[in-house]
Amino acid sequence: MDNLITFSITVFTGFFAITNPISNMTVFVALTQGADKKTKDDINKRANIIAFIIVTVFVLLGKFIFELFNISIPAFKITGGILIFFIGFEMLQSKQSNVKSLKHVDIDENIAVSPLAIPILAGPGTIVTAMNFVSNVQPIHTVLVIAIFGLMSILAYITFRLSDLIVKLVGNNVISVIGKIMGLIIAIIGTGMIIQGIKISFNLISQ
């Protein structure tokens, strides 16, 4: 039971850092600027539902994808760790990750799919993190990962819904600081994945 609680806290922390609803809220505000309240809410709902479906599919089919492309767990952890570390490092430097870079997007509900759902909410970093959590684990862990990302989708929806109010109350400077803290956490998670991958590799060699 204690292991499940620890696992759940780790998964929640990882998802919260990589999806970063506070930082992404400013992106949502920028993309939906000038849209009426109903349109914003429709875009918000659609983006989070699509993101949840995408991550769930990768969580459930992760092992099949590994087998299909002959991807080893150590290689996945090391490569995924490098990617996540890179995203966190860019956030620490106050740079917008190239993985999430945005161009000008017209205000219509298609932005719910791209760029909001992909790659903002369910980008490569999020997918890699989710698949890492369910690699070589029991079914109960997989269920927990899906449930926790569902919770993150709800939190993102609430944050986006209150985005205008939060930006006015908190200010962009505080949001920037939060983004840097999340970047540090993401970089640490990425480093941990790399270390895990190296350890597993050496264990396989020594067997």
Side-chain angles (χ1 to χ4, degrees), residues 58-159:
F58 273 95
V59 166
L60 295 177
L61 300 181
K63 292 182 179 179
F64 172 75
I65 294 173
F66 281 1
E67 294 175 359
L68 180 64
F69 294 99
N70 196 25
I71 300 173
S72 68
I73 291 177
F76 177 79
K77 284 183 177 290
I78 293 172
T79 305
I82 293 172
L83 173 62
I84 293 174
F85 176 85
F86 180 70
I87 293 172
F89 182 73
E90 285 195 326
M91 289 174 65
L92 280 170
Q93 293 184 308
S94 298
K95 293 180 180 180
Q96 187 178 29
S97 172
N98 291 328
V99 177
K100 294 185 176 182
S101 61
L102 300 174
K103 302 296 183 181
H104 174 73
V105 181
D106 293 331
I107 300 175
D108 60 53
E109 295 191 16
N110 289 328
I111 65 175
V113 179
S114 179
L116 278 177
I118 311 168
I120 298 300
L121 295 172
T126 306
I127 293 171
V128 166
T129 300
M131 291 179 67
N132 173 66
F133 285 136
V134 298
S135 61
N136 200 27
V137 295
Q138 300 297 319
I140 182 63
H141 295 90
T142 301
V143 173
L144 282 173
V145 169
I146 294 174
I148 292 171
F149 188 78
L151 175 61
M152 287 306 309
S153 297
I154 294 173
L155 289 177
Y157 170 77
I158 294 173
T159 303

Side-chain angles (χ1 to χ4, degrees), residues 9 12 33 37 69 82 103 120 125 160 164 173 183-185:
I9 293 174
F12 179 84
Q33 188 174 10
K37 187 175 180 179
F69 294 99
I82 293 172
K103 302 296 183 181
I120 298 300
F160 288 178
D164 291 333
N173 289 335
L184 177 61
I185 294 175

